[in-house]
Amino acid sequence: MSEVPSLITLCIGAIKDAILEENGNLPFVYKLPAELFDQLLPNLPPLALQNLQEAIPSISSTDQGFADDCLKPSRKRKRFENFDIAWKALYESRWSDVQKFTVDSLPEDVQLQQDESTTNWQQIYWERHLQNCLDAVAELVSITLFDGFLGEVEISDALLKSITYERRLSMPKSYLKLEYHCERFGLYARCLRLRNVHCVAEIGHLLRKSRLEYLETHWIKSKEQVAGLCKLLEQNKDTLSTLEFLNCKLPASLVTAICDSLCVKGFETNVIKNFSIKRSSFLDSSYFPLPLGLESLLSAASGLTKLSLSDSHIWWKTAKMLFDTLLDTESGLQVLDLSENCIAGWLSHFKWGSPNCIKPHIKINKSLPSLRVLNLRSCNLQKSDVDCLKNVMTYMPNLEVLNLSENQLQDEGIKVLILCLVEKSKCPTPLAELYLEHCELSCMGASQLLKFLESLKTPLKSLSLGYNYLSSNFGPFLGKFLLSGIQEIDIKGIGLGSGFSDAQQEITQEISLVRINISDNSGGVGTANLLSKLISEAPNLVSINASDNWIPIESFPAICSCLKASKGKLEHLDLRQNPLCNKPNIASLLAEFQVNGKPDMLVSPPFSNVLYDNDP
């Protein structure tokens, strides 16, 4: 037998229907007793809560009898707090991942790191709802021969139900159209992701109330799509700080049109801070190496802090002109990402003796002293490029992060890199992070690099040498280097093997290590022994990745001793893909050593009939 609803429940149901109908009497809901009003808010669907909050009377509304206690500043403030609690509950019930921004893949550098107490849950609720509507419409339009107005496309019953409730689906037909949701909730949009089907002539009208701060666009390739996008950019050029293009095909003329929509020629703009074109292509870069609009934007965007042209099929001449343009700007550029482009030779004009060499008396540029991160991963760079980079270091005195991974530098290139780092050591800001994964280094080249890094007055904070076959002979050099003050090191897949034991023997005093990745090295018992040594000598160690190292079941007591010695200071331990994981109930056995849930331990399901094969 179903439970008989209480009088309060019936009243709330009736009020909820009245609020959804928007009949003009919403301000009178604020006349309800505080007890009933406070019970009403958590039971309202999002659209009803929105209607009610928009109808909140001002303190001066005395003509309709609202000048009572419920509108005193303290009571009004309390009710606003109750609204925010209700919005947070609605957000978390609809999206279990509890993300605070619309774009699911928002990069770390542009994530809105809001404090829980300052988060506007109403704003991020409608922002993400609008993104869901745009995504659903894009899917629908993409699989049909659509030839109408984007705003006329109807959203699904499921999306409408998410902001109303089951009984209220029979609402005005206008509620089903994308235009209604853009008109009603567009003003809450700060971060959006648009696909090419969204970038039509009417997109500017649909999102005319938005004040975008972050915009991510996908698959733009036609003049018509760029025209629609440019209108939206012009409307938001006073607020838009991050603009990203992914999987786009853009000739120089369209790149220029996009950049021109962000700034007025001849005037500076300090709003745009992050500009990225990734996994895209400049279709005519051989004829127009650097589109004029992009050059103008770089010169005018005084607030630009990040520029990324990763995997955009640019060639060395584009990279050269880009770098030369930056030398002449006043931008406070902090991050330059040119990764995954074949740009070998892009700095050849900085090589002493070359016909186009920049003269030594040229003044250091005003913007590059702000550069902190230079990402040149997978750029087909050779030894000669590193030699040129050495001469550029004076233009980047505050560089802290250098990524040269996936370039065939080999040992000869590392010798030149050491000379480059010698020049860098003369700069006021020391290099903090160096990435050299997949650079075809041998033990000889890597050991020479470590010896130099050990001699630095200010030790490197982070070093990555993963996936260079350095062999077991690298063990002693690794152990000595860990004494230099390094905080993070990644040596996954270097073929260390028995070298773990040699590294362990070199650690004779306390070290500064915070994070280490020694995965995929087939270290066997030696891996567990090194872990014991690291935990005993590294008081600040919080993360260890020791996966895929053939740690045997016999090493279980050593692992337990490690965890016991860490006393909860270790936060993350990855032991996946090791024979050790075959031990019955290993997860529960290891959990006994956790302190307040730390460390977070990763173990893989048991696997059988796997033979140990250390043959290269």
Side-chain angles (χ1 to χ4, degrees), residues 451-462:
K451 287 180 181 178
F452 167 75
L453 294 176
E454 290 171 17
S455 68
L456 292 176
K457 184 181 299 185
T458 303
L460 204 65
K461 290 183 179 179
S462 178

Side-chain angles (χ1 to χ4, degrees), residues 252 282 284-292 294-295 309 313-322:
F282 294 98
D284 48 4
S285 60
S286 58
Y287 298 101
F288 304 98
L290 187 64
L292 291 176
L294 180 57
E295 183 178 357
L309 298 179
H313 298 84
I314 64 173
W315 62 318
W316 69 270
K317 197 167 187 179
T318 303
K320 172 189 176 298
M321 293 181 67
L322 175 71

Side-chain angles (χ1 to χ4, degrees), residues 75-315:
R75 179 61 61 87
K76 189 175 182 180
R77 185 165 52 250
K78 176 67 165 59
R79 290 198 169 176
F80 270 119
E81 291 173 358
N82 290 341
F83 272 110
D84 202 49
I85 292 171
W87 283 117
K88 180 181 179 182
L90 287 171
Y91 188 97
E92 294 178 348
S93 66
R94 183 172 176 183
W95 298 288
S96 58
D97 57 353
V98 195
Q99 292 188 352
K100 295 186 183 179
F101 23 77
T102 297
V103 183
D104 299 342
S105 57
L106 202 60
E108 284 184 14
D109 54 301
V110 294
Q111 286 182 7
L112 305 180
Q113 300 293 344
Q114 291 178 301
D115 185 82
E116 187 81 4
S117 61
T118 61
T119 300
N120 186 336
W121 290 99
Q122 179 190 25
Q123 181 262 317
I124 62 174
Y125 182 94
W126 290 120
E127 177 183 76
R128 192 163 184 185
H129 168 76
L130 184 58
Q131 182 67 64
N132 287 170
C133 292
L134 290 168
D135 290 344
V137 166
E139 291 297 327
L140 182 63
V141 170
S142 298
I143 62 176
T144 60
L145 297 175
F146 180 75
D147 191 28
F149 292 104
L150 192 67
E152 294 295 314
V153 179
E154 294 185 352
I155 66 171
S156 65
D157 285 349
L159 277 173
L160 187 58
K161 177 185 173 183
S162 66
I163 63 171
T164 56
Y165 60 101
E166 194 77 43
R167 291 194 296 117
R168 296 295 304 185
L169 286 180
S170 57
M171 302 184 74
K173 191 172 178 62
S174 61
Y175 283 42
L176 285 174
K177 295 181 180 180
L178 176 64
E179 183 178 17
Y180 169 81
H181 295 265
C182 291
E183 171 73 23
R184 186 77 188 273
F185 311 121
L187 62 95
Y188 296 104
R190 300 292 180 269
C191 305
L192 285 182
R193 178 181 57 247
L194 299 181
R195 288 169 55 177
N196 53 356
V197 295
H198 296 129
C199 297
V200 293
E202 62 180 304
I203 190 64
H205 175 74
L206 291 174
L207 296 176
R208 63 189 181 278
K209 292 185 178 180
S210 66
R211 292 181 59 80
L212 295 177
E213 299 171 4
Y214 174 95
L215 180 61
E216 182 182 294
T217 59
H218 292 252
W219 305 106
I220 304 296
K221 57 184 179 180
S222 73
K223 183 177 181 180
E224 293 74 21
Q225 292 165 357
V226 169
L229 175 63
C230 286
K231 186 173 182 181
L232 181 64
L233 294 179
E234 289 172 1
Q235 293 173 184
N236 291 274
K237 64 183 178 183
D238 293 333
T239 58
L240 190 65
S241 62
T242 298
L243 179 60
E244 292 199 2
F245 294 89
L246 292 94
N247 304 302
C248 298
K249 295 182 179 180
L250 300 168
S253 59
L254 297 187
V255 175
T256 295
I258 290 169
C259 294
D260 286 349
S261 67
L262 293 171
C263 62
V264 178
K265 287 186 177 180
F267 294 90
E268 283 192 0
T269 173
N270 58 4
V271 178
I272 190 75
K273 291 181 171 55
N274 303 287
F275 186 83
S276 300
I277 302 178
K278 301 178 180 178
R279 299 194 298 276
S280 301
S281 59
F282 294 98
L283 296 182
D284 48 4
S285 60
S286 58
Y287 298 101
F288 304 98
L290 187 64
L292 291 176
L294 180 57
E295 183 178 357
S296 298
L297 178 64
L298 295 179
S299 300
S302 59
L304 189 68
T305 58
K306 178 180 179 181
L307 175 64
S308 175
L309 298 179
S310 175
D311 192 15
S312 291
H313 298 84
I314 64 173
W315 62 318

